[in-house]
Amino acid sequence: MAIAWAAPATGQPLPAFDGRVDRLLQGLAPGKAAKPEVDVTAWIDRAPGGPVLRVALEPVGDTRLVPEPGIAVTPRERPGIDWRVELPLVVTEPGRDYWPAGKTLALPFAAEDGRPITVDVTYAYCLIGAQCFYGDRSLDVPTRPPVAN
């Protein structure tokens, strides 16, 4: 039986066949596909003009945030918080394929009651040159700094 060898799509030279098919296939098949991922964090800044809820989205590896439909940040309604921005806070940039880096959004507020703020974050992201996804996270953000013992 004759075996026909073809060059792999990767442009790499064909692996030498040592009798082990798993090694041969490992040389021909591409590695594991990258997993698209976005780190989402939130915290309270104590700015001179009052407290600010900051929400940061940081793409990992070859993942990029998509400016259209963009990012939406929606704090859950509850008494005791007086927001200084229109809610939900939506950031878009039509006509652009990807944002080159992560994004941090600022939501200033005037009054607080010391309880954590729950915020819902919705965003679009893509693995460069591959499929795009929608992500959503809910975060509980403490409004009081930790107390040292």
Side-chain angles (χ1 to χ4, degrees), residues 5 13 20 47 54 56 58-59 81 85 90 98 102 107 109 122 124 131 141 144 147-148:
W5 290 96
R20 295 216 21 214
R54 299 209 187 267
E58 191 62 45
I81 300 290
V85 293
V90 178
Y98 304 115
L107 293 88
F109 56 101
T122 305
Q131 187 172 3
V141 186
R144 293 187 177 165
V147 177

Side-chain angles (χ1 to χ4, degrees), residues 38-113:
V38 178
D39 289 333
V40 182
T41 56
W43 67 95
I44 304 295
D45 267 348
R46 301 291 169 191
V52 178
L53 170 64
R54 299 209 187 267
V55 178
L57 294 92
E58 191 62 45
V60 176
D62 286 337
T63 303
R64 296 293 179 265
L65 294 168
V66 180
E68 190 175 14
I71 303 167
V73 178
T74 309
R76 294 193 188 161
E77 274 191 55
R78 68 172 176 79
I81 300 290
D82 182 19
W83 295 101
R84 293 183 173 174
V85 293
E86 187 175 327
L87 299 176
L89 177 62
V90 178
V91 177
T92 63
E93 198 172 330
R96 187 173 197 156
D97 290 336
Y98 304 115
W99 275 312
K103 284 293 211 190
T104 300
L105 287 68
L107 293 88
F109 56 101
E112 61 182 298
D113 59 6

Side-chain angles (χ1 to χ4, degrees), residues 9 22 25 37 47 49 62 79 82 94 98 100 143:
D22 62 326
L25 293 176
E37 187 177 344
D62 286 337
D82 182 19
Y98 304 115
T143 57

Side-chain angles (χ1 to χ4, degrees), residues 5-22:
W5 290 96
T10 62
Q12 300 294 320
L14 289 171
F17 184 65
D18 65 358
R20 295 216 21 214
V21 175
D22 62 326

